[in-house]
Amino acid sequence: MLRKDFRMLKLEYLFENYELAREVLAFWEHDEDNLEEMLGYFRISSNAVYPFTREGRVCFLRLAPVGEKAETDVRGELEFIRYLLKEGYPALRPVCSLSGEDMVVADTGFGRYFACVFEKVDGVEISEAGYGREVMYAYGRALGRLHALSSGYVPAVRKQGHKEILEWIRRTLEEYGGCREALTELAAVERELGRLPVTTENYGLVHYDFEPDNVFWDEGKKECSVIDFDDGIYCWYGLDLEQVRDSLAEELEGEQLEKAWRDFQEGYACVYAYPEETRELLPLMRRFVDLRSYAGLIRCISSVTEEEPQWLEALRGKLNGIIEKLEEGFSETCPAAE
């Protein structure tokens, strides 16, 4: 499913590369007997992810070209995950390489890649577990606890914050020909964000992608485990809440949506403050996310390969359609912002 928030590699990196995966997996202990079958279940979006087993347990190799990521962001992500695990938070667990590193910068026959491995978490995706009261309450509680832990987190390696993202959006719009309305919207959003208070209670390292396919419900433990901290940034906690609200709205409607969102908010508020000021931030957070998505998409489709396969042509067409809708949205919000 294509969501409103898009952080994809350039299209040239969306092809499977089993040879690359095998080359990098040499840095980690892994089972060989079922490797060919397991690698076939790969997925590629903002990273290339290849499943494999290690002593029978499912793990995931995550790869990203060095030019597509900032090393400090990757190291900052891993540091935050280690902090969460130390605090007993049910996050995915990194697997150290044979040399004892949780990230390898691999020089391969296909270029340099950031490589990490994570164990599969228990449970099923929230989207598969359903959206009943018990699940939604635990889902909200997991985000509230994450924000509570983030509010007391002091990193050694700091990931990017919203100001760095705004600057990246600006550079990307200029480099890849973003529309005039997007630049106007960027200026408006930047002004509004600049007026917001920044405190340890409302601002910290957010997950950014706390959506139903990144949160797993463990029926036995009656709790949620969380994966994919890759896109986390320093921002207002309302951003995570808006992402959840938006993702639920894509799956549910009417009374079912209202109930699921209400149950989620109750679970969140039971462990972390959810004041009216945070609720009021959600529309502005959506505008910020839409700008980041738009910049990522125009950068993504700038990549052109010879004799593109039919699936890639279809994807390019779909992404162009989303770009057009985002541009229409900017045209609608810009006059109001002025």
Side-chain angles (χ1 to χ4, degrees), residues 55-196:
E55 297 181 345
R57 183 172 179 83
V58 176
C59 297
F60 298 94
L61 169 68
R62 193 185 75 189
L63 295 170
V66 165
E68 295 286 297
K69 304 282 182 179
E71 183 170 349
T72 52
D73 280 344
V74 182
R75 295 196 183 279
E77 171 201 4
L78 292 166
E79 181 190 335
F80 185 54
I81 291 173
R82 288 193 297 270
Y83 163 74
L84 294 175
L85 291 170
K86 182 180 179 181
E87 295 295 324
Y89 188 83
L92 78 173
R93 188 173 297 276
V95 177
C96 287
S97 67
L98 293 170
S99 60
E101 302 171 286
D102 52 14
M103 185 189 81
V104 171
V105 182
D107 289 300
T108 77
F110 304 91
R112 300 189 82 202
Y113 280 78
F114 295 127
C116 304
V117 166
F118 301 95
E119 289 184 355
K120 181 182 183 297
V121 299
D122 294 329
V124 298
E125 293 179 6
I126 293 290
S127 54
E128 295 181 21
Y131 299 94
R133 162 81 179 171
E134 183 179 44
V135 175
M136 286 295 96
Y137 190 88
Y139 184 19
R141 193 175 188 280
L143 183 59
R145 189 178 173 208
L146 178 65
H147 289 170
L149 289 169
S150 181
S151 68
Y153 175 58
V154 180
V157 181
R158 185 180 174 89
K159 298 194 70 174
Q160 294 184 85
H162 79 278
K163 291 182 179 180
E164 288 89 349
I165 299 301
L166 288 170
E167 182 55 37
W168 175 83
I169 292 171
R170 185 185 314 283
R171 293 196 308 269
T172 303
L173 295 181
E174 292 171 352
E175 181 176 356
Y176 295 96
C179 68
R180 177 179 57 82
E181 291 80 5
L183 286 165
T184 303
E185 171 71 347
L186 174 61
V189 168
E190 196 166 14
R191 283 196 303 273
E192 293 192 38
L193 291 176
R195 300 187 185 110
L196 297 178

Side-chain angles (χ1 to χ4, degrees), residues 190-224:
E190 196 166 14
R191 283 196 303 273
E192 293 192 38
L193 291 176
R195 300 187 185 110
L196 297 178
V198 175
T199 69
T200 55
E201 288 77 23
N202 71 5
Y203 189 100
L205 185 52
V206 302
H207 186 281
Y208 204 111
D209 201 10
F210 207 83
E211 300 181 7
D213 55 352
N214 284 328
V215 183
F216 287 68
W217 167 248
D218 189 320
E219 178 68 28
K221 296 179 181 178
K222 301 296 183 182
E223 71 173 12
C224 294

Side-chain angles (χ1 to χ4, degrees), residues 3 6-10 13-14 43-49 68-69:
R3 300 188 300 267
F6 299 90
R7 298 174 303 281
M8 298 177 64
L9 300 173
K10 285 188 174 182
Y13 296 116
L14 299 187
R43 63 176 177 82
I44 305 177
S45 181
S46 58
N47 297 281
V49 178
E68 295 286 297
K69 304 282 182 179

Side-chain angles (χ1 to χ4, degrees), residues 31 53 69 92 154 209 257 302 316 335:
D31 301 334
T53 61
K69 304 282 182 179
L92 78 173
V154 180
D209 201 10
L257 171 60
S302 69
R316 185 185 294 279

